[in-house]
Amino acid sequence: MPPPERVPAPAVSEGTGIEELLTRGELTVRGRIAEASNAVLLCTVTYEGASADCVYKPVRGERPLWDFPDGNLARRERAAYLVSQATGWGLVPATVLREGPYGEGMVQHWIDAGETPESGLLALVEAEEPGEGWKAVAFAEVGEGRTALLVHADDPRLRRLAVLDAVINNGDRKGGHLLPAPDGRLYGIDHGVTFHTEDKLRTLLWGWSGEPLTEEARRVLDSLAAELADGAPLATRLAELITPAELAAVRGRVAQLLREGTHPEPSGQWPSIPWPPV
């Protein structure tokens, strides 16, 4: 009997196929990712002769968060994937909700980055300005009384992710959550701390703060606004995952981005950069 066919990271148009594999396939737990704060299990999923690596985050393995009492983090991860798919940018690996060996949880296609997550995207430079091709984030202490400038690449893939994070109100965009795939695509992972009704945006991607949104981003946001309207398919699916107030807040953030036409700036009422940043 031949071994199951391995499924690579899918293009946006292939989302339905990988979702079926993740939803219907048999999950085999291979180990635990120890450095994660919640239970994250590395698995293989197999279905009808195809298989893929994936991560499984059971709800029962989540650490309770005082400021996210409504629902669980797994449902927010699924919601972030649905919004990402609706943008057409495909920035979040295929993510489903399903039963697994340890109960209901989020199952997400594993992306083999092939290099360190920060490679070519983030850097510390001992300079006052970021340099060509880079955007400044903040100054950071690096020891012995020295500071360095934290910068990220002026990369259209990152810029799209910054827009997505603003829409879903991502409270934890760390460097380690950026996965550049060998095929040139960029993925963002770990979206459990999202969709809060209050401004929780914490990210390393502040380099475009206050700058005008690209025409592409405005077109995507216009389309997203329509898909979030009452009765629209995306709104209906999100309503099963987040609260009515959280869904209303998503609509409000999209409307605000379109109205102001710029990338958001730190509010000053909440730490703007996650800790640890990587």
Side-chain angles (χ1 to χ4, degrees), residues 66-97:
W66 67 269
D67 53 345
F68 281 83
D70 298 318
N72 54 56
L73 306 188
R75 291 180 180 272
R76 297 173 190 277
E77 296 241 33
R78 169 68 175 169
Y81 168 68
L82 293 178
V83 175
S84 168
Q85 289 298 97
T87 66
W89 288 332
L91 295 167
V92 179
T95 308
V96 304
L97 276 176

Side-chain angles (χ1 to χ4, degrees), residues 7 14 18 59 95 101 104 117 119 125 131 142 192 200 206 208 215 220 232 264 266 277:
V7 176
E14 296 170 329
I18 187 64
V59 172
T95 308
E104 184 187 57
S119 178
V125 296
V142 293
K200 296 282 188 179
W206 288 115
W208 296 283
E215 286 301 315
V220 166

Side-chain angles (χ1 to χ4, degrees), residues 8-132:
V12 176
S13 61
E14 296 170 329
T16 302
I18 187 64
E19 281 193 52
E20 182 178 29
L21 172 59
L22 295 174
T23 302
R24 298 190 177 188
E26 180 181 357
L27 280 178
T28 301
V29 177
R30 292 161 44 196
R32 179 172 180 173
I33 300 176
E35 60 267 25
S37 57
N38 294 319
V40 181
L41 304 176
L42 179 61
C43 302
T44 299
V45 60
T46 305
Y47 179 69
E48 292 190 344
S51 73
D53 295 330
C54 60
V55 292
Y56 163 48
K57 298 182 182 180
V59 172
R60 69 172 65 174
E62 294 178 0
R63 181 180 300 176
L65 298 175
W66 67 269
D67 53 345
F68 281 83
D70 298 318
N72 54 56
L73 306 188
R75 291 180 180 272
R76 297 173 190 277
E77 296 241 33
R78 169 68 175 169
Y81 168 68
L82 293 178
V83 175
S84 168
Q85 289 298 97
T87 66
W89 288 332
L91 295 167
V92 179
T95 308
V96 304
L97 276 176
R98 58 164 289 176
E99 287 293 319
Y102 301 103
E104 184 187 57
M106 178 278 276
V107 175
Q108 185 175 82
H109 195 191
W110 174 270
I111 303 299
D112 186 1
E115 52 184 320
T116 59
E118 298 85 358
S119 178
L121 299 175
L122 299 168
L124 284 169
V125 296
E126 295 189 11
E128 296 294 319
E129 299 295 333
E132 186 176 357

